[in-house]
Amino acid sequence: MTAPNPTQLDSQPGRIMSGEMAQQPEVLRRILEEGAPRIRAIAEQVAARNPRFVLLTARGTSDNAALYAKYLIEVLLGKPAGLTSMSTTTAYGAEPDLRDTLVITVSQSGGSPDLVASTEAARKAGAITLAVTNNADSPLAEVSEFHIDVLAGPEKALPATKTYTAELLALYLFVEGLRGGDGSAAQVLPELAERILARQGEVKELASRYRFAERLVLTSRGYGYPTAKEAALKLMETSYIPALSFSGADLLHGPLAMVDNVSPVIAIVTEGKGGQALQPVLDRLRGRGADLVVIGSEKQVAQASAGFVLPTSGVAEEVQPILEIIPLQMLAYEITIARGQDPDAPRALAKVTETR
């Protein structure tokens, strides 16, 4: 068999996304080794000003990272946190009083006009502003009082992978810094991420279940809920399969009616309180005969139709989402390749989406 030449390799569908997924352990290490001291220093400065509320601003993949931060802030800090509606300021011209409020804006590129404008408005309204981006020279970083660089390096594939896990880790370390924690729970992540990425064959086999799927439902609770939303986004933007994400609690309030014995459901079962809260939902799904795939512990996977066992035993619940999303990124990639499409270049999408 003749080996492919470099030109052939460069044109292989999904080459860029695959390469960027594989960089995630390296990126996580870089943040822990190089970024953590800077993040801690910023956290200490913000903590000294004792913000009473936290608002999070983002779009797309970064919106799911912001939702993860919301859980961290409310659970670990006990502070009220919410996701902003940018159009209240950019379209309606609202002028909220944001004194004693920390506004965190999360964006890979830091270039979308609505993110920049809403951050400028928040700073004028008295907020402490923090940008979390993968671009230290971005307009968003420039208009924010503080900036955290997630150090993911250039990301060329349209589906964000390494920047998402980098955002999660940076946000976790920042929240840990706000409460005076050392972030030591994150030290295991690079090695465990490598172990997950080495299991591509398992994910490829799992992807064969969904090659011809017309719809997917994803669900989780607690820290796993942002993972369900991000996985649904990845599946839709790469494979074009409609993927609906629900909190397990919301799934029981009506949408469960659409699930039957031919409806594929992917459940992210975080080990900890979130996974415990999801148990009644899993029982109902099994009772309806759903094609249930679990991303979680060996015990949880054994009770499902299929799944992927996460190496998260003994890993703090609040950092498990950084690992949970990786096999789901791989799943989106493998489904897309199996359907004869290129995950590097989803139709109708641009790497930097500019909204206003």
Side-chain angles (χ1 to χ4, degrees):
M1 181 176 179
T2 304
N5 61 43
T7 301
Q8 289 174 317
L9 289 173
D10 287 345
S11 63
Q12 287 180 353
R15 176 187 61 85
I16 303 173
M17 181 180 177
S18 177
E20 290 175 350
M21 286 191 295
Q23 292 172 27
Q24 289 177 106
E26 174 190 346
V27 172
L28 297 176
R29 285 194 182 92
R30 188 183 306 136
I31 296 170
L32 290 169
E33 294 171 4
E34 301 175 22
R38 170 65 175 159
I39 294 171
R40 174 177 289 277
I42 292 172
E44 289 174 352
Q45 293 179 68
V46 173
R49 291 163 66 175
N50 195 28
R52 178 70 183 90
F53 302 97
V54 182
L55 292 175
L56 296 129
T57 303
R59 296 283 191 199
T61 283
S62 294
D63 203 28
N64 299 324
L67 180 58
Y68 166 73
K70 181 179 186 293
Y71 277 92
L72 290 173
I73 292 160
E74 292 182 341
V75 175
L76 300 183
L77 301 181
K79 290 183 182 289
L83 303 178
T84 63
S85 299
M86 279 174 279
S87 62
T88 60
T89 54
T90 60
Y92 290 93
E95 297 180 356
D97 181 353
L98 296 179
R99 289 171 294 179
D100 299 324
T101 301
L102 168 62
V103 173
I104 303 174
T105 307
V106 189
S107 170
Q108 288 123 15
S109 69
S112 185
D114 56 353
L115 294 170
V116 176
S118 63
T119 301
E120 284 184 308
R123 193 167 182 180
K124 290 177 183 177
I128 306 164
T129 53
L130 167 67
V132 179
T133 80
N134 193 39
N135 184 358
D137 298 322
S138 64
L140 180 59
E142 184 177 343
V143 301
S144 300
E145 183 176 357
F146 299 101
H147 175 254
I148 291 174
D149 188 343
V150 302
L151 302 175
E155 188 172 59
K156 297 180 180 179
L158 286 177
T161 54
K162 64 177 182 175
T163 53
Y164 178 70
T165 49
E167 287 174 349
L168 296 189
L169 179 54
L171 288 163
Y172 166 73
L173 292 173
F174 174 70
V175 174
E176 272 287 277
L178 288 178
R179 68 172 187 157
D182 61 8
S184 58
Q187 294 297 323
V188 299
L189 296 176
E191 180 184 351
L192 294 179
E194 285 177 341
R195 287 166 55 182
I196 291 171
L197 287 162
R199 295 162 59 191
Q200 185 175 358
E202 292 180 48
V203 178
K204 190 171 185 177
E205 183 177 347
L206 193 60
S208 65
R209 303 173 68 90
Y210 304 120
R211 181 175 180 180
F212 301 109
E214 296 183 0
R215 181 188 67 202
L216 290 170
V217 173
L218 294 97
T219 188
S220 189
R221 289 204 70 179
Y223 285 114
Y225 179 42
T227 305
K229 290 177 67 66
E230 173 61 13
L233 176 59
K234 283 292 155 286
L235 286 160
M236 288 188 288
E237 69 182 355
T238 56
S239 70
Y240 316 141
I241 298 174
L244 308 173
S245 58
F246 298 96
S247 157
D250 287 333
L251 186 63
L252 295 183
H253 283 268
L256 184 67
M258 71 178 173
V259 176
D260 53 29
N261 60 4
V262 295
S263 301
V265 179
I266 299 175
I268 298 94
V269 188
T270 304
E271 289 196 60
K273 293 181 179 179
Q276 293 166 15
L278 191 64
Q279 287 309 307
V281 183
L282 299 177
D283 293 339
R284 291 285 296 277
L285 288 168
R286 284 190 286 262
R288 292 186 64 82
D291 177 12
L292 178 62
V293 169
V294 165
I295 309 298
S297 70
E298 185 174 1
K299 178 181 177 182
Q300 293 291 345
V301 170
Q303 298 176 42
S305 305
F308 186 95
V309 177
L310 288 169
T312 50
S313 178
V315 177
E317 182 178 1
E318 57 265 28
V319 298
Q320 289 180 37
I322 300 169
L323 300 174
E324 290 167 349
I325 190 58
I326 296 175
L328 291 162
Q329 293 171 344
M330 297 162 69
L331 182 65
Y333 168 87
E334 292 293 352
I335 291 173
T336 305
I337 294 296
R339 289 164 69 95
Q341 295 152 197
D342 185 357
D344 284 342
R347 63 193 182 203
L349 295 182
K351 185 61 182 171
V352 180
T353 303
E354 295 190 356
T355 48
R356 297 183 184 275

